[in-house]
Amino acid sequence: MYEFVTGPLAWLAFIVFFVGIVVKLVLYIRGLDWKLDRVTYSVNTSYGVRGALRSIGFWLMPYGTQSYRNNPGFTLALFVMHIGLILTPIFLLGHNILLAERWGVSLPSLPEGATDVLTVCVIAAALVLLLRRIALPEVRIITTAYDVLLLAIAVAPFVSGLLAHYAHDNGQLWTIVHVLCGEVFLVAIPLTKLSHFVLFFATRAQLGMDYGIKRGGMKSKGIAW
Amino acid sequence: MFKKLLFATTASPVCDNAAKVAFDLEVKWEAKLLILHVMGVPGRAFSLQFTDVRTGQREDISPDYVEWVKEEMNNTYGKLLEDSNAEIVTAIGDPYREILRLARKEDVDMIIMGAHSREEDIGATKHRSVTGSTMRKVAKAARCAVVVVNRPCTTCWRLFSNIVVGTDFSKASFSAFLWAFKLAREVGAKLHIFHSIDITAEGLTLPAGQTTIEQRVKEARRRIEQTYIPKLQGYDKYSMEVWEGIPYVEILKFARDRQADLIVMAHHTREIDPEEAELGSTVEQVVLRAACPVASVTHPDKVADLV
Amino acid sequence: MPEGVLCNKNKVNTLEQLQALLADKSGKQYYQEMNNLDVDSKALWDLVQKTCKSRTRTWLEICTHCGLCAESCFYYLSNHRDPTQVPSYKIQSTLGEIVRRKGKVDNAFMQMAMDTAFSKCTCCTRCGVYCPMGIDMGVMFSYLRGLLFSQGFTPWEMKIGTGMHRIYRAQMDVTTEDWVETCSWMAEENADEWPGLEIPVDKENADILYTVNAREPKHYPEDIAQAAILFHVAGENWTVPSEGWEETSLAMFAGDWEACKMQVEGVYGAMAKLKPKRMVVTECGHAYRATVIEGPYWAGRTSGKPPVDSFHYVEWVAEALRSGKLKIDPAKKIKEPVTYQDSCNYIRNAGLWDSARYIMSQIAEDFREMTPSREHNFCCGGGGGLNGIGRYREQRNIGLKVKRDQILATGAKLVVAPCHNCWDAIRDLEEVYEIGIRWSFLKPLLINMIEVPAGMRGEE
């Protein structure tokens, strides 16, 4: 079972993930229409690129935008969760050991203590975001079961990972659960709105180009996000 | 002399005296009379709503409403309309602007209106956030004579025997003079040419100013003799007078003295920033206090033949 | 398929249709007919498939429902943080549903969507600046209005407005003759005070082609006169076109895309015919947006630009002040506290905040910024056509509260609002809430402030 989920199933998950996000991105870009979107993507592109980079850059920076600064708590949870979501699986020692075993290559690893902290932080941040969804009326009204499910999908590998690491079950049950959760997560990324994994960059770039090319980017220093 | 007349009314009692003059003129001069009622100031943005000038209610522009207003006008001026062929016109807009627009479009010879007080212009003031009365703005920009009737006019226009024209020697005043002369000649009235040395404006209030004032009076008389009298082309029913004081007070005193049937003057463009003058321009002051109608003539268009 | 006499899917292309609509007081019959108007789901879905491509679909799909847009919306704030005013909710429950249901929506839904699009959103696009995903809900609402319009669901005034544009190429019934006549009228009216003042019509190869908002010739032509005086004093070689003089676009507010195109092509036609060096538009926000920012796309111009360089009035004023073409008499600067209303359409959506700041630094001694300001400023409350729609008057008045509080917080009693819609909304705001403020365009302020070269102003 372990071999299967970390073997063919993992391959499948990674293929769906990588192919999926590429397809998503390609479809997005192909679906752009300068006339309908009212942005000349290919004219004055330099202004567009500048706008896109500003748009992405400011929004990747913690507290880099007015919106973030207005909501410090949310922003903290948001960045903690996303940093954890990305760093932990890539730089986790266990993952890299596995990688080295299978392919003989591996990435540098973070100390186990650090990844543990990150994991706990991700779970805590997710909890905060979940509570926020329930507590704030303006968020509750737009929250759907789907949103909660996606949050669960994103956090499940972390919860199961912790259990796998610390539960000491010899039957590898938690490990298998963990791997499955991770694979579900990977597959969910291109297939659900977790696709914002790539589409965040796409939509941000698009709006940045819109502002950069059309909405004043050529007549000002650029919008102060 | 008057082929086309425009009577601008708010269809309120303020305009009743003006209405009588307007209908009287129509009949006596066999003129075409247009009665303009500016129903309201424009409503919101491009919308079709406007604020009714009389009720203050927000109304929608619709043919029904226009018909209703016309009906109301017919009721208001029922008796007067009996002998009249007047045409009732309605408009939406700032009253002064619409009056000027129609006057220009129809090339009218005279605009007749009541002494719209500033209170009544509040709607318009709100609309454009500008101060100043409809009357003053119309008087300033109209190319024809603007006759403002505040009190009941007892003498029929045709029977006018004394017309007072006040001048400050401005270009506009000269037009007012020519128009007054034209009218006096037409009806056979006596023309009283009047100038007041403005002691407030010229800093002549000091006792030492007495000789200066006398000097000024002499100068003014000479100016009238040299530039105005020759234009009368031998018409001898005239008098001339130069006094000193605050112009609007003096002209009112003079008009009373001569039992004036009509005071003619120009809208004084010289006055400093009339938009901000608390009490309004000289014309406004005279209008509010005069016992007879006041005609404001500022532009030479309608006296071009005499220039 | 029941179609009303007045409320239907047809476009208003004839004077008869327009007059029939105008005769329907307050749109009573129009809205009654709307209750029976059928939704052509197939046509609606076809249109969505043709026009709703990856940008908009992705916006709808990847909204993470984080709710950060809530506080960006002045409707949300002025309605006691009513969750149904959250931009994401508003767009998801309208446009989002149309797409999810593949156009299979009913009359009640369409009316709800119309109510939402015209009474809960001014398309100010502020939410787009606050969304981490870069989802511009204002742009989507604008698009939704287009879908609604195609099915005949648009407010009565909007239907009339589009008819005006289709018939007169202007938002109001101002004909070419009316316009040209108004220009000569205004030149004449001010000739005594400003000897040599001209409003040249259809002069070729001028430096500036000046275009306006139809409300100016219709209701306050002195605005045109003031523009003429300022150009005159600045020594500009300028002209107005006899046709294509109107820059505004109620069609843009209504979502009548066809009429949007017709309207801007008229203006571009004037540019092609008169070959000016550049174009300047009056103090109107949406006019600039419609003709300069969005217009080129409606007209299919691949450059994304109008045929000649186009400027908003504040850009011209800033330039004239910088270059010394217009000089401010220091003694006549505004002494009292004064604030500036940043119009969404030429500030947030066109980046002209620095021009506005420069002007204020030159004409005011005590300029006070609103908080927030510039690209973050709130809509006046009257954008997107909301000033003129009777049906949603009440909602709009509630929306004005945010601007009211912003102005009050500055302590200024004078608001400079170089945008017709903002100017109107602030006027209404004063009427509704009576906070004791005055408001003004730039032109009348400038005329009282500039140094006039000797001999230029008439003596009498």
Side-chain angles (χ1 to χ4, degrees):
Chain A
M1 189 65 181
Y2 176 78
E3 289 304 318
F4 175 69
V5 294
T6 57
L9 208 55
W11 274 108
L12 189 65
F14 275 108
I15 287 166
V16 171
F17 170 71
F18 282 113
V19 173
I21 59 172
V22 169
V23 167
K24 272 274 170 187
L25 203 57
V26 169
L27 283 180
Y28 179 82
I29 292 166
R30 284 177 52 125
L32 292 176
D33 182 314
W34 73 273
K35 224 169 149 181
L36 286 174
D37 304 344
R38 304 208 290 266
V39 182
T40 56
Y41 299 109
S42 54
V43 180
N44 293 313
T45 312
S46 62
Y47 289 93
V49 169
R50 190 180 71 128
L53 291 177
R54 282 175 55 88
S55 169
I56 294 169
F58 279 106
W59 286 91
L60 280 183
M61 209 189 303
Y63 303 99
T65 67
Q66 195 60 47
S67 199
Y68 285 152
R69 289 191 288 273
N70 290 352
N71 297 274
F74 169 78
T75 305
L76 182 69
L78 182 79
F79 275 92
V80 164
M81 187 172 95
H82 281 86
I83 291 168
L85 280 175
I86 292 163
L87 292 187
T88 318
I90 298 175
F91 300 111
L92 187 89
L93 184 63
H95 288 179
N96 280 314
I97 291 171
L98 191 68
L99 220 54
E101 276 176 12
R102 293 286 163 92
W103 295 346
V105 290
S106 71
L107 291 164
S109 299
L110 286 167
E112 285 215 303
T115 42
D116 279 359
V117 169
L118 277 174
T119 304
V120 173
C121 283
V122 167
I123 296 165
L127 264 177
V128 169
L129 293 180
L130 180 67
L131 290 176
R132 180 177 172 275
R133 283 200 180 279
I134 298 162
L136 299 183
E138 74 267 27
V139 193
R140 192 164 58 222
I141 193 168
I142 43 182
T143 295
T144 58
Y146 180 47
D147 294 319
V148 179
L149 176 70
L150 291 181
L151 197 59
I153 288 176
V155 176
F158 290 79
V159 177
S160 57
L162 266 190
L163 287 169
H165 193 59
Y166 291 107
H168 301 296
D169 61 327
N170 293 326
Q172 289 181 323
L173 175 65
W174 283 117
T175 307
I176 290 166
V177 170
H178 169 66
V179 174
L180 280 171
C181 285
E183 285 160 0
V184 167
F185 187 23
L186 279 178
V187 171
I189 286 174
L191 300 183
T192 67
K193 67 178 164 186
L194 293 177
S195 56
H196 73 253
F197 178 79
V198 284
L199 291 182
F200 162 85
F201 296 93
T203 53
R204 278 246 65 93
Q206 194 279 331
L207 193 67
M209 290 186 94
D210 188 333
Y211 273 102
I213 293 170
K214 180 179 75 164
R215 294 198 243 173
M218 298 172 76
K219 284 190 172 177
S220 69
K221 291 194 192 88
I223 192 164
W225 298 99
Chain B
M1 188 168 174
F2 308 115
K3 292 195 185 65
K4 227 176 213 182
L5 307 169
L6 167 58
F7 169 43
T9 173
T10 53
S12 64
V14 192
C15 296
D16 284 358
N17 296 323
K20 290 200 183 77
V21 171
F23 287 110
D24 185 47
L25 278 170
E26 181 205 0
V27 175
K28 301 281 163 50
W29 296 79
E30 291 174 355
K32 166 85 185 154
L33 177 63
L34 299 164
I35 304 178
L36 171 67
H37 175 55
V38 181
M39 298 190 293
V41 294
R44 304 315 171 217
F46 53 87
S47 88
L48 303 165
Q49 283 193 331
F50 63 93
T51 311
D52 188 293
V53 282
R54 292 177 306 164
T55 61
Q57 294 294 308
R58 189 145 302 138
E59 298 288 350
D60 276 301
I61 299 169
S62 72
D64 283 357
Y65 191 79
V66 175
E67 279 314 305
W68 178 76
V69 168
K70 287 190 176 173
E71 187 68 40
E72 284 282 289
M73 300 265 292
N74 276 320
N75 293 339
T76 311
Y77 299 123
K79 258 197 195 131
L80 295 168
L81 276 169
E82 273 171 19
D83 305 323
S84 162
N85 291 312
E87 183 189 336
I88 297 177
V89 184
T90 57
I92 304 287
D94 284 336
Y96 82 95
R97 187 45 72 197
E98 296 312 313
I99 293 168
L100 289 171
R101 196 193 298 270
L102 186 65
R104 178 178 161 86
K105 189 177 158 215
E106 297 286 343
D107 190 21
V108 302
D109 299 303
M110 187 195 282
I111 297 169
I112 302 141
M113 54 199 291
H116 300 237
S117 63
R118 291 193 171 206
E119 288 71 35
E120 283 164 40
D121 285 326
I122 278 177
T125 305
K126 279 246 159 152
H127 175 239
R128 278 292 279 160
S129 181
V130 288
T131 53
S133 69
T134 299
M135 188 175 76
R136 207 199 65 237
K137 286 179 185 150
V138 172
K140 184 182 172 191
R143 315 307 287 192
C144 62
V146 179
V147 174
V148 186
V149 186
N150 195 20
R151 302 217 159 72
C153 180
T154 44
T155 320
C156 161
W157 196 277
R158 277 264 190 206
L159 304 175
F160 279 176
S161 44
N162 290 295
I163 296 173
V164 165
V165 56
T167 174
D168 63 353
F169 299 117
S170 62
K171 215 168 89 190
S173 284
F174 193 63
S175 299
F177 158 73
L178 290 176
W179 187 84
F181 161 58
K182 198 173 171 181
L183 178 65
R185 192 174 60 179
E186 184 96 9
V187 302
K190 188 165 182 185
L191 181 66
H192 304 274
I193 307 163
F194 178 77
H195 174 73
S196 166
I197 308 287
D198 187 349
I199 54 165
T200 52
E202 303 191 17
L204 298 176
T205 44
L206 294 169
Q210 193 54 39
T211 44
T212 324
I213 288 172
E214 278 168 20
Q215 188 72 26
R216 290 284 168 91
V217 170
K218 252 186 223 159
E219 265 172 40
R221 291 189 71 91
R222 199 167 52 238
R223 259 183 109 170
I224 293 174
E225 275 163 13
Q226 279 174 359
T227 52
Y228 285 40
I229 305 303
K231 285 286 170 190
L232 297 179
Q233 301 162 14
Y235 188 73
D236 60 358
K237 289 173 79 176
Y238 75 90
S239 76
M240 55 183 276
E241 202 70 56
V242 178
W243 294 0
E244 77 275 355
I246 300 164
Y248 81 83
V249 179
E250 298 307 311
I251 197 167
L252 283 165
K253 285 199 298 203
F254 182 73
R256 195 179 151 79
D257 184 66
R258 299 296 151 102
Q259 291 178 302
D261 298 303
L262 180 72
I263 299 171
V264 184
M265 53 198 296
H267 177 272
H268 291 222
T269 46
R270 253 185 203 174
E271 284 172 19
I272 303 155
D273 211 349
E275 298 280 345
E276 280 167 20
E278 272 295 295
L279 296 168
S281 60
T282 301
V283 183
E284 281 175 288
Q285 292 303 315
V286 172
V287 160
L288 290 174
R289 291 170 177 78
C292 64
V294 177
S296 159
V297 182
T298 309
H299 295 281
D301 304 50
K302 296 288 171 186
V303 286
D305 51 327
L306 295 177
V307 175
Chain C
M1 183 172 303
E3 295 264 307
V5 180
L6 302 175
C7 185
N8 48 46
K9 296 180 183 64
N10 303 332
K11 314 288 184 284
V12 182
N13 285 316
T14 67
L15 208 53
E16 292 71 46
Q17 287 171 292
L18 185 64
Q19 276 159 352
L21 277 163
L22 287 167
D24 176 27
K25 195 177 173 187
S26 304
K28 211 176 250 174
Q29 185 192 340
Y30 178 86
Y31 288 121
Q32 243 158 30
E33 288 178 4
M34 190 181 281
N35 292 331
N36 299 315
L37 187 60
D38 262 354
V39 182
D40 183 347
S41 294
K42 191 181 170 301
L44 180 59
W45 183 237
D46 282 349
L47 185 62
V48 169
Q49 284 180 305
K50 253 188 247 147
T51 53
C52 187
K53 302 283 178 161
S54 72
R55 179 195 65 168
T56 311
R57 279 178 191 261
T58 306
W59 275 346
L60 286 170
E61 280 164 24
I62 67 161
C63 171
T64 59
H65 301 155
C66 70
L68 283 199
C69 53
E71 287 179 340
S72 73
C73 179
F74 71 95
Y75 269 116
Y76 171 77
L77 296 175
S78 58
N79 283 283
H80 307 288
R81 300 179 166 261
D82 177 356
T84 62
Q85 292 281 3
V86 174
S88 168
Y89 175 79
K90 289 187 278 196
I91 198 67
Q92 290 288 348
S93 60
T94 52
L95 179 62
E97 279 300 298
I98 291 177
V99 174
R100 273 189 287 277
R101 295 194 212 166
K102 300 197 190 308
K104 291 194 182 65
V105 291
D106 59 10
N107 180 296
F109 178 91
M110 291 296 266
Q111 290 204 42
M112 179 279 286
M114 179 183 87
D115 292 347
T116 309
F118 286 94
S119 75
K120 295 181 174 183
C121 179
T122 61
C123 305
C124 78
T125 71
R126 191 171 189 265
C127 46
V129 178
Y130 287 75
C131 171
M133 291 291 160
I135 300 171
D136 197 326
M137 287 149 274
V139 169
M140 283 201 277
F141 264 112
S142 212
Y143 171 65
L144 172 65
R145 288 176 176 198
L147 296 182
L148 293 167
F149 186 86
S150 74
Q151 292 290 316
F153 291 88
T154 199
W156 176 63
E157 289 89 344
M158 286 287 129
K159 187 90 173 184
I160 292 170
T162 60
M164 292 282 183
H165 279 292
R166 284 165 174 274
I167 295 162
Y168 295 99
R169 291 294 184 278
Q171 63 162 273
M172 290 174 137
D173 52 350
V174 180
T175 62
T176 300
E177 295 73 43
D178 293 341
W179 159 247
V180 173
E181 157 64 15
T182 304
C183 289
S184 71
W185 178 24
M186 283 302 111
E188 180 193 298
E189 193 172 291
N190 291 279
D192 286 354
E193 209 173 335
W194 298 94
L197 182 75
E198 267 188 292
I199 302 185
V201 180
D202 283 343
K203 184 159 111 185
E204 289 185 15
N205 303 310
D207 291 341
I208 291 174
L209 178 74
Y210 183 64
T211 52
V212 304
N213 177 324
R215 254 184 289 160
E216 293 169 8
K218 181 82 180 172
H219 288 314
Y220 27 90
E222 51 270 40
D223 201 289
I224 299 160
Q226 288 161 354
I229 291 166
L230 290 168
F231 282 142
H232 178 62
V233 173
E236 295 284 12
N237 169 17
W238 69 293
T239 188
V240 294
S242 58
E243 279 175 7
W245 51 270
E246 158 74 306
E247 279 229 355
T248 70
S249 185
L250 297 184
M252 174 171 80
F253 291 156
D256 182 353
W257 302 327
E258 197 181 50
C260 288
K261 185 170 190 280
M262 291 158 81
Q263 182 61 39
V264 294
E265 281 177 344
V267 183
Y268 297 167
M271 293 178 182
K273 191 176 126 205
L274 301 176
K275 302 177 212 65
K277 287 206 180 69
R278 52 189 185 150
M279 190 272 285
V280 172
V281 63
T282 188
E283 297 171 64
C284 183
H286 95 274
Y288 180 79
R289 174 120 182 246
T291 310
V292 183
I293 304 289
E294 313 289 356
Y297 297 91
W298 296 326
R301 296 184 56 81
T302 48
S303 65
K305 299 265 167 210
V308 300
D309 272 354
S310 298
F311 297 83
H312 189 268
Y313 201 73
V314 298
E315 291 180 277
W316 178 78
V317 172
E319 179 202 285
L321 291 174
R322 277 204 179 97
S323 65
K325 278 182 180 170
L326 289 180
K327 286 193 192 73
I328 300 293
D329 180 347
K332 290 182 182 163
K333 279 190 177 185
I334 305 167
K335 307 268 184 309
E336 62 175 321
V338 54
T339 187
Y340 187 95
Q341 162 58 18
D342 286 303
S343 156
C344 307
N345 282 327
Y346 71 85
I347 299 284
R348 177 161 39 254
N349 288 303
L352 304 183
W353 48 81
D354 285 338
S355 295
R357 296 307 171 291
Y358 181 74
I359 294 168
M360 292 313 288
S361 75
Q362 298 298 300
I363 67 169
E365 289 183 358
D366 185 3
F367 170 54
R368 302 186 181 182
E369 288 276 10
M370 289 189 206
T371 315
S373 65
R374 302 178 181 232
E375 60 267 56
H376 289 281
N377 193 24
F378 284 109
C379 170
C380 57
L386 269 70
N387 275 336
I389 303 172
R391 182 175 162 113
Y392 307 122
R393 195 84 197 150
E394 204 180 318
Q395 290 92 324
R396 200 230 32 179
N397 284 351
I398 294 170
L400 296 173
K401 284 196 279 188
V402 168
K403 187 53 59 188
R404 175 196 67 186
D405 295 344
Q406 261 193 304
I407 294 172
L408 282 174
T410 65
K413 293 284 175 221
L414 176 62
V415 184
V416 177
C419 165
H420 275 80
N421 265 323
C422 298
W423 185 92
D424 266 313
I426 293 169
R427 187 261 322 277
D428 288 359
L429 182 162
E430 176 58 23
E431 192 176 283
V432 178
Y433 297 108
E434 297 182 350
I435 58 171
I437 51 163
R438 287 165 293 115
W439 56 97
S440 180
F441 287 120
L442 279 170
K443 295 183 198 100
L445 295 173
L446 288 169
I447 283 190
N448 287 330
M449 250 185 260
I450 48 170
E451 287 177 352
V452 179
M456 202 169 233
R457 203 193 281 263
E459 287 307 309
E460 292 180 310

